[in-house]
Amino acid sequence: MHVFADPTNLDAYLSGFLWILKLTGASAVLALVLGVLLAAFRVSPVPVLRGFGAAWVNIFRNTPLTLIIFFCYFGLYTTLGLTLSDDLDLNNYWLGVVGLSVYTAAFVCEAVRSGVNTVPAGQAEAARAIGLTFFQTLRIVILPQAGRAVVAPLGSVLIALCKNATIVGTIGLIEASSVMKDLINSNGDAVIAIFAVFAGTFAALLIPTGYFFGWLANRLAVKR
Amino acid sequence: MTTGEPLIVLDGVNKWFGPLHVLDDVSLSVGRGEVVVVIGPSGSGKSTLCRTINRLEPINSGTITFDGTPLPAEGKALAKLRSEVGMVFQSFNLFAHKTILENVTLGPVKVRGEKPAAARERGLALLDRVGIANQAEKYPAQLSGGQQQRAAIARALAMQPKAMLFDEPTSALDPEMVGEVLEVMTSLARDGMTMVVVTHEMGFARHAANRVIFMADGKLVEDAPPAEFFANPRSERAKDFLSKILTH
């Protein structure tokens, strides 16, 4: 473990994972908001909204994330001149967040939509029968129940998002996988050890996340 | 409010489910304070009829008028109309993620904009009226079927509806729980609530209804006071139906 005994390397390792956490955190919030909105669109009675939701899911779910992240950099930033921060790292970070969010939102949308389908039709009928509007019915009756049903699948989406965050390394943000590559390049004698530390760190972050979501899903389950 | 004029009027209502003609030129009017019980074999369209009155089922042709106004198509006006018509379902449909009291106060607070404290007080009074005040803080799944259905009736009453629709309210209940629900319904009828009740409970039809409607194959076949209907059904279809259900 001489590699991580060097304070410079240790700092790089820590800052790499800090970027991963920041990417995951911001993208998770944005993808959740966007995904729930898209799911609402997809179950709405308005054809234009349904079409928009379907188009979003079909485009972003079926495009490789690497391409989306590249497009954020070369398309949005280099070609279209969209600058999200004057700081180079922060600009790459936010471009990465945009790419991760629009991509992950498609998966959140589909998870939430499948959750909506687990809510018996009678719940919506009862809500309409007392005079709630379509969006009130969705917000007060359907989504809270659908949300509880999709806690576990959303946990999987979050775990995938955290790992996908490494792709932002391809546009120059020195996140964990980029740090690992650099360390391997300069420490050819400790490749396996470096790899094990990075993989182990992801596992240490994500295995408890998975259990936490499993526990939460049981706790929040709606009894029928 | 005008008196004398009927509260619910269906005129020449037709509805198809694909090729199936579920409501065939149905005309019916229900006066204020009247209790109309709809009976008939399954598949006769009686549930559909009940559900068209608050437009949970849209119709293909004909008109439905509630309190002098034709049913609005969609949107806010329809939501407002629905808030004035209480509905009780066969499968209760209590909001599974809300407590019994929250089920009852949701409509008054979210639809009518009542203050939560006031809605709560009224909700508790309604739960007391249907005999389940002590279940207020429980979730629907923790209650028996009969208790859930009484909670559902309280939820509908909380909107202070002008009329109540009951779509087979006791069909999903264990036999020993049917009585407690019918009791609540009977007391509502006695208090002058306008009610349309789809049911197989002939006892309720006999003692609580002002009129019995008999439906078969989507058509309204008979419309008579209960004593007359049960003693002298005019149509063969009704005679056949009654002979099947009353002989055992």
Side-chain angles (χ1 to χ4, degrees), chain B residues 52-135:
Chain B
T52 58
I53 298 173
N54 66 355
R55 213 171 189 279
L56 280 181
E57 297 288 356
I59 56 176
N60 295 108
S61 69
T63 57
I64 300 177
T65 311
F66 183 82
D67 203 11
T69 321
L71 287 200
E74 275 299 333
K76 289 253 189 295
L78 180 61
K80 182 171 184 303
L81 172 122
R82 283 174 173 154
S83 74
E84 293 173 349
V85 184
M87 175 109 192
V88 176
F89 300 87
Q90 180 175 351
S91 48
F92 331 135
N93 295 347
L94 290 171
F95 304 130
H97 64 308
K98 301 240 176 240
T99 65
I100 296 305
L101 183 59
E102 286 168 348
N103 264 276
V104 176
T105 57
L106 183 74
V109 174
K110 300 290 182 184
V111 177
R112 293 274 161 75
E114 269 182 44
K115 293 231 162 50
R120 194 185 148 82
E121 199 173 312
R122 222 158 47 74
L124 283 170
L126 282 168
L127 290 178
D128 189 47
R129 176 172 174 192
V130 300
I132 51 168
N134 54 344
Q135 313 287 339

Side-chain angles (χ1 to χ4, degrees), chain A residues 67-84 91-92 95 171:
Chain A
L67 267 65
I68 293 174
I69 298 288
F70 272 170
F71 178 80
C72 287
Y73 189 83
F74 293 108
L76 294 182
Y77 172 58
T78 316
T79 309
L80 299 175
L82 178 75
T83 308
L84 297 170
N91 191 46
N92 289 344
L95 288 169
I171 58 169

Side-chain angles (χ1 to χ4, degrees), chain A residues 16-29 31 65 69 93 96-97 99-101 103-105 107-108 153-169 173 175-178 198-210 213:
Chain A
F17 273 101
L18 195 59
W19 279 125
I20 292 291
L21 291 179
K22 285 179 177 171
L23 284 166
T24 307
S27 307
V29 172
L65 180 57
I69 298 288
Y93 166 76
V97 167
L100 287 170
S101 301
Y103 176 80
T104 308
F107 291 87
V108 171
L154 283 182
S156 297
V157 172
L158 179 70
I159 287 171
L161 168 64
C162 179
K163 296 182 296 176
N164 288 342
T166 55
I167 292 180
V168 182
L173 188 71
E175 46 61 60
S177 72
S178 307
F198 279 88
T201 307
F202 271 107
L205 288 172
L206 296 179
I207 291 173
T209 306
F213 274 88

Side-chain angles (χ1 to χ4, degrees), chain A residues 45 119-134 136-137 139-146 148 220-224, chain B residues 51 54-57 75-76 78-80 82-83 85-87 89 91-98 103 106-107 110-111 141 155-156 159:
Chain A
V119 181
Q123 296 284 307
E125 283 191 347
R128 284 152 64 205
I130 59 170
L132 295 180
T133 61
F134 172 79
Q136 281 182 318
T137 299
R139 186 168 54 80
I140 301 169
V141 176
I142 306 301
L143 286 179
Q145 294 187 52
R148 286 158 210 242
L220 294 178
V222 180
K223 303 205 171 40
R224 296 195 192 280
Chain B
R51 291 161 57 86
N54 66 355
R55 213 171 189 279
L56 280 181
E57 297 288 356
K76 289 253 189 295
L78 180 61
K80 182 171 184 303
R82 283 174 173 154
S83 74
V85 184
M87 175 109 192
F89 300 87
S91 48
F92 331 135
N93 295 347
L94 290 171
F95 304 130
H97 64 308
K98 301 240 176 240
N103 264 276
L106 183 74
K110 300 290 182 184
V111 177
R155 173 175 68 181
M159 300 304 291

